[in-house]
Amino acid sequence: MLFTLFGVVWLIIGCYPVFYILTTSLRSQNGYLLGNPWVPPIHPTFQNYAQVIQSGFLRSFINSAIVSVCTVLLIVVFSLLLSYVVVRTRNRAVQTVFNWFVVGLAIPVQAAIIPVYILITKLGLYDTLLGMILPMVAFALPLSTLILVNFVRDIPNELYEAMGIEGANDFQIVFRLVAPLARPALISVAVYQFVQSWNNFLFPLVLTQSAGVRVLPLAIVQFQGEHTMDVPVTMAAVVFSAIPLFLAYIFGGRYLRQGMLAGFGK
C-alpha cells in the first residue's frame, strides 16, 4: 500500500509539468493571468498555436525533421555495419580500433566544439543542414555501435554459416539476417538518437546563423525572447516542438528500454 501511494504521488509529480504546459498553451493571456493553473481552462483556445505557426515555426520544424531523420538513418546504417565488422572479424587490429572508437564515449561534445567548428568551416558546410548532421552522426556512433555489438554478438554462428553456404555476401547477411534479428536494438538506437538530435542545441548554435536553417531549439529561444510576457504562446511553441518526441516514446519506448538494458547489462 505504501509503495502504491508513493507511485501515485510520483506519477502526479512527474505528470503535472506536462499537464501545466498543455493547459497553459490552451489559455488566453487574460485567462492565464486570472485563471487557476490547477484546473483546465473553461474556454480553451487554439489561437496560440495559430500564432506559433504564423511566426515561422513551421520552417524550423521542417529543418529539425530533416536533420533528425537524416541523422538517425546514417547512425543506424553505419552503426549496424560497424557492429557486424567488429563481431565477425577475427582481427586484433579491428578490436583495437573498436576499443579506441568506444573511447569517444568519454569525450564531451563541449570539449570538441572548436575543432568541429573549424573542420565544418574548412569543408564549406557552415550554416547548412549537412554541417549539423555530420557532427551529430560522428558523436552518436560510439554509443550506437556499442549497443548493437551486444545484439549482433548474440546471433548464433550457425545462422551466419548457413547464409554463407547459400552464397550470401556480407551486405546480404547484414540486411537479411542481422537487421531483422537486431530490430529491438535498431529501434532503440533510432528512438534515442532521434530525441538527442531533435533536442540538440549546441551544434545548431555554433554551426549556423541564418534563419533559413534554424532548427526548433534555436527557434524556441528566439520565440521566448520575443514573447517573454506572453506565457501561453511560449507554451504552445514548446508543445508544438515536443509532439515528435512524444510520438517517438509512445511507439518506440519499449524497444528503447530493451536496447539500453542490453547495451549496458551484458
Side-chain angles (χ1 to χ4, degrees):
M1 180 64 183
L2 182 61
F3 289 104
T4 302
L5 180 61
F6 177 78
V8 172
V9 172
W10 186 257
L11 179 64
I12 294 174
I13 294 174
C15 291
Y16 178 73
V18 178
F19 171 81
Y20 175 81
I21 293 173
L22 182 60
T23 56
T24 302
S25 70
L26 298 175
R27 300 178 189 273
S28 63
Q29 178 69 349
N30 291 334
Y32 170 75
L33 295 175
L34 302 176
N36 187 347
W38 295 93
V39 297
I42 300 176
H43 303 290
T45 176
F46 290 94
Q47 182 61 35
N48 297 323
Y49 292 93
Q51 184 175 345
V52 168
I53 294 175
Q54 292 170 3
S55 67
F57 244 68
L58 189 59
R59 177 62 182 175
S60 298
F61 187 94
I62 294 174
N63 288 338
S64 286
I66 294 173
V67 170
S68 299
V69 171
C70 293
T71 299
V72 169
L73 288 176
L74 291 174
I75 290 171
V76 169
V77 172
F78 283 119
S79 60
L80 179 62
L81 295 175
L82 286 171
S83 62
Y84 175 78
V85 171
V86 171
V87 172
R88 297 299 299 168
T89 303
R90 308 300 180 183
N91 189 311
R92 184 180 296 273
V94 172
Q95 298 301 322
T96 302
V97 171
F98 174 67
N99 293 334
W100 281 104
F101 188 71
V102 176
V103 172
L105 292 171
I107 302 176
V109 177
Q110 294 81 358
I113 191 62
I114 295 178
V116 169
Y117 170 80
I118 295 173
L119 179 61
I120 292 298
T121 302
K122 288 185 177 294
L123 291 175
L125 297 177
Y126 180 76
D127 204 26
T128 64
L129 296 181
L130 183 60
M132 289 184 284
I133 293 172
L134 294 181
M136 291 183 189
V137 173
F139 280 91
L141 279 177
L143 176 60
S144 302
T145 304
L146 180 63
I147 294 173
L148 290 178
V149 161
N150 288 280
F151 272 82
V152 176
R153 188 174 287 148
D154 288 343
I155 299 176
N157 289 328
E158 291 78 7
L159 297 179
Y160 292 112
E161 294 173 358
M163 291 286 291
I165 292 174
E166 293 177 359
N169 57 37
D170 288 327
F171 285 100
Q172 291 173 329
I173 294 175
V174 169
F175 293 107
R176 293 183 182 179
L177 173 65
V178 177
L181 294 179
R183 185 177 65 174
L186 291 174
I187 296 177
S188 68
V189 167
V191 172
Y192 177 77
Q193 298 300 347
F194 177 82
V195 173
Q196 295 298 310
S197 59
W198 186 270
N199 289 330
N200 194 292
F201 182 81
L202 182 60
F203 285 141
L205 178 65
V206 176
L207 302 178
T208 63
Q209 64 178 2
S210 63
V213 296
R214 183 178 297 137
V215 293
L216 278 177
L218 295 182
I220 290 176
V221 172
Q222 181 184 10
F223 192 82
Q224 192 272 338
E226 296 173 353
H227 299 81
T228 303
M229 302 303 297
D230 198 344
V231 177
V233 173
T234 304
M235 293 302 175
V238 173
V239 173
F240 185 76
S241 64
I243 291 175
L245 303 182
F246 281 114
L247 294 177
Y249 274 119
I250 289 173
F251 292 105
R254 177 167 61 92
Y255 294 103
L256 177 63
R257 291 187 294 271
Q258 292 177 358
M260 292 295 105
L261 291 175
F264 291 103
K266 295 183 182 181

